[in-house]
Amino acid sequence: MAAKKSSTPNRAFKVADQIQRDLSELIARELKDPRVGMVTIQSVEVTPDYAHAKVFYSVLTGDPAATQEALDQAAGFLRAGLFKRLHIHTVPTLHFVFDRTPEHAADMNALIAQAVASRSKEDTE
């Protein structure tokens, strides 16, 4: 038997997007843990049944390991905050994952700049 299609096919994406916006605001304004520095919520992936959400984050300042520990400890508080803001039956359990994409992007930019600089150096010689 085929899985039942949702009446609104993009609903999971909309819910994930709303969770991302609300979590960003909750972390910035209501989370008072000093271990949490400047955290950016990169993306959120929600399971089809909305039971779990993977929250990908990056850290501008602070220790990623300490931030991970603080976010894991604050997951219940953040979920309760989401429950007050979201109007869905099931608010997902939050699972925080450190996202190294910004670091990799900076490394790639540095490599590209280095390659361009060495190429222009060769062209002038």
Side-chain angles (χ1 to χ4, degrees):
M1 187 168 182
K4 182 182 176 210
K5 293 251 181 192
S6 173
S7 59
T8 54
N10 292 329
R11 185 166 192 262
F13 294 116
K14 290 178 183 177
V15 169
D17 189 48
Q18 188 63 45
I19 288 172
Q20 181 178 353
R21 284 193 301 267
D22 289 345
L23 271 180
S24 295
E25 192 172 311
L26 282 168
I27 290 170
R29 294 188 180 166
E30 296 186 25
L31 195 59
K32 304 296 184 207
D33 195 321
R35 296 174 292 176
V36 178
M38 295 184 70
V39 173
T40 302
I41 305 298
Q42 298 291 341
S43 66
V44 176
E45 293 177 0
V46 181
T47 57
D49 61 354
Y50 303 112
H52 299 277
K54 271 189 191 177
V55 180
F56 295 92
Y57 70 95
S58 64
V59 180
L60 188 60
T61 61
D63 178 31
T67 302
Q68 175 78 42
E69 187 179 325
L71 289 173
D72 287 341
Q73 286 181 352
F77 169 78
L78 293 171
R79 185 173 186 235
L82 284 175
F83 187 76
K84 293 175 186 173
R85 293 166 177 247
L86 295 175
H87 301 291
I88 59 175
H89 183 65
T90 304
V91 175
T93 302
L94 304 173
H95 305 280
F96 292 95
V97 179
F98 182 63
D99 186 7
R100 297 194 182 279
T101 303
E103 292 174 11
H104 293 304
D107 292 344
M108 292 301 290
N109 283 337
L111 286 173
I112 291 169
Q114 183 180 3
V116 167
S118 67
R119 185 171 223 190
S120 63
K121 191 180 200 182
E122 288 173 5
D123 289 345
T124 58
E125 291 179 351

